[in-house]
Amino acid sequence: MDSNEFNRNLCTHTAEELAPYEGRHVAWSVDGKQILAAADSDEALYEEVDRLGLKQMEYVVGFVPRSDVSYY
């Protein structure tokens, strides 16, 4: 995985693209170009990843913060 490429691609997503995932745990593709799975909790995300048959080296786990909440 190239972390620079991942971060660069992550920054290209618009707020509109990420809106359906706000407040959710997600599994990103290793290049950061797409969300492969999403769920409301870590446990549910890993269940979805397993259901989809994704291998550990095929995704990166993250969280899409809500735009209306401060996390500081």
Side-chain angles (χ1 to χ4, degrees), residues 7-37:
N7 287 325
R8 193 170 37 253
N9 290 333
L10 221 56
C11 292
T12 66
H13 295 282
T14 65
E16 290 78 23
E17 289 175 317
L18 296 176
Y21 305 103
E22 283 189 3
R24 301 189 79 201
H25 300 266
V26 297
W28 288 96
S29 60
V30 293
D31 62 5
K33 290 183 178 181
Q34 63 180 330
I35 292 175
L36 305 174

